[in-house]
Amino acid sequence: MPNEPMSRHTTFRVGGEAGMLLQVSTPQQLKVMIPLLNEQKIPYFIKGNGSNLLVGDKGYDGIILEIGKEFGNIEVKGNLIVAGAGALMSSIAQEALKNSLTGFEFASGIPGTIGGGITMNAGAYDGELKDIVTKVEVINSDGEVISLSNEEMNFGYRTSIIKQKPLIVTSVTLSLNNGDSEKIKARMDELAAKRREKQPLEYPSAGSTFKRPEGYFAGKLIMDAGLRGYTVGGAQVSEKHCGFVINKGNATAEDVYELICDVQDKVKARFGVVLEPEVIFLGVF
């Protein structure tokens, strides 16, 4: 799809056009395409669910490779779950529940694909993906398929080797434990209720906007800086949870970006703490 508005493909619901958006159906397609794009020096970006992405209003002058539904396969092998990079974490959680496997409940409400989650070592409620990953299959810049162990993934807080090297996740193997389906469902329901109570799920956003600075909570710093409800255009620091920047209505990417920068500046001036965004910025700002 040429000149595709990225506002249709991100959870912020903002962003200009991509020069081209291509949905990739199979790892084989990636194996062929990636070396060609690199050889021609054509810029590209790998996108999953778009739940952690802010694309500039002027768009992205390159190719967006969107991991398609064919990457969404989920297979259970004993206490292992093998999931394609495009599988939604909510779908993996339901499959784990169906097979009475525990250990993935913390991720059941994270709005994204497992490929994107692995890239940033997503986590919530005292759990992180690094705790349950045994193997990740990736494609490198030469189109070669490589299998990486948990140790080789070089996981850290909201990072992994995928952020450090030109690697593309194609599948993930998770190791869970046998559990009681009723207890698993109860925990998932409990966490879902907490999200509804404390997070502004009714508005477009990218989830938690900032990483947790060591020794602090980003949301509390923002609140204590007097920024609850702070607004730039149609973008706002959520009044419900100050760690979230939301699209209150008709926001532009510039609104969101300017608000994020303002929050960083004001928190640093007040507390001397640098807030690092979890959100990925793509295009011109």
Side-chain angles (χ1 to χ4, degrees), residues 186-251:
R187 178 60 174 162
M188 287 169 56
D189 289 345
E190 176 192 356
L191 296 181
K194 282 186 178 181
R195 287 181 184 275
R196 288 192 298 271
E197 177 190 353
K198 298 182 179 181
Q199 299 180 8
L201 303 180
E202 64 272 28
Y203 292 104
S205 77
S208 295
T209 306
F210 300 98
K211 297 179 181 179
R212 180 186 295 179
E214 189 171 352
Y216 299 91
F217 292 96
K220 188 173 189 312
L221 286 171
I222 296 166
M223 179 179 67
D224 290 347
L227 296 172
R228 182 190 295 276
Y230 179 79
T231 300
V232 174
Q236 183 186 68
V237 172
S238 169
E239 296 181 9
K240 195 172 186 179
H241 188 315
C242 291
F244 283 63
V245 171
I246 60 174
N247 179 355
K248 191 71 183 288
N250 300 316

Side-chain angles (χ1 to χ4, degrees), residues 14 55 75 84 88 126 207:
V14 299
V55 181
E75 186 178 0
L88 291 172
D126 299 322

